[in-house]
Amino acid sequence: MRISIPVRRLALTGLSAFVAIGLCILGVLAHPEPLYAYHAEAGRLRLYSDRPFDVGKGRAILADVERRLDTAPPLIRDSNSVYRVFVTNAEWRRRLTFLWNYGVGGVNYYPIGGSVFLRQGEIDEDRLRKTNGARVEPPRTLAYFAAHEIGHSLIGRRTGALANWRLPAWVREGLADYVAFGGSVDIPGLTKRLRADDPDLDPKRSGLYARYTVLVAYFLEREHWTVDQLLATKLSRADAERRLLARVVAE
């Protein structure tokens, strides 16, 4: 069956419009600075917001982020690249920059640009807010969320974009969280909570990655795996947990 010329033209027009919109979105994700009027800098880190904030407090957050990144395992540590953190308060900006990830605390579209996006936050208080408006309390500060998202770029630089997407969630999110916490993870305490089926250790119920973080910390610190061993592991999360629970005695 032949497709009529008008229908073909309409299809091509629709496809062209779809491609144009996609390219515009990619452009925004790669260079979102014009959408954010306020910013602060500290070394190689940049902090942007669509709301005014105290520049000194913004720089203090960036210094905290840098401290966390400096504790990353050597094989993924990066002291040269520039990273930009965008705190997105306006609803339309969140819809535009978070796309299908709307509702999460932060996103990183590595390898597109060097940007990470965080949901609405109070830079002066070093806090992010949940979608219901409640503040996220420590230890998950704004600096923590920024370091977690930048951690995904560190992992991606080591593995390559495709391999990064294929990593098991417990490795990908656990290692980013390990970086975000500056390598400070209470392995015995979290293992005890895992045994007790603490709901905060269920990512589906809590939205937190503590379950994955303790696994990564265990293999790096107790079994002395290298980052490359971790990134290449074929262990499922269930098998990794069995190994952790069999060998760690909660204090």
Side-chain angles (χ1 to χ4, degrees), residues 218-219 223 225 235 239-248:
Y218 166 74
F219 284 104
E223 296 213 4
W225 281 15
L235 279 177
D239 287 340
E241 286 179 2
R242 279 192 285 270
R243 196 151 154 179
L244 166 73
L245 294 172
R247 301 188 185 187
V248 174

Side-chain angles (χ1 to χ4, degrees), residues 64-74 76-77 139 144 147-148 151 154 174-188 190 213-214 216-222 227:
D64 188 7
V65 174
E66 188 68 78
R67 176 189 62 80
R68 295 166 191 258
L69 298 179
D70 284 344
T71 65
I76 61 170
R77 195 173 300 161
Y144 153 84
H148 177 101
L154 302 183
L175 184 52
D177 231 38
Y178 187 79
V179 171
F181 280 119
S184 179
V185 178
D186 180 7
I187 297 175
L190 288 173
T213 312
V214 68
V216 166
Y218 166 74
F219 284 104
L220 292 178
E221 297 180 14
R222 299 294 179 87
V227 167

Side-chain angles (χ1 to χ4, degrees), residues 9-23:
R9 286 177 178 171
L10 182 61
L12 290 174
T13 300
L15 178 60
S16 298
F18 179 79
V19 171
I21 292 172
L23 290 174

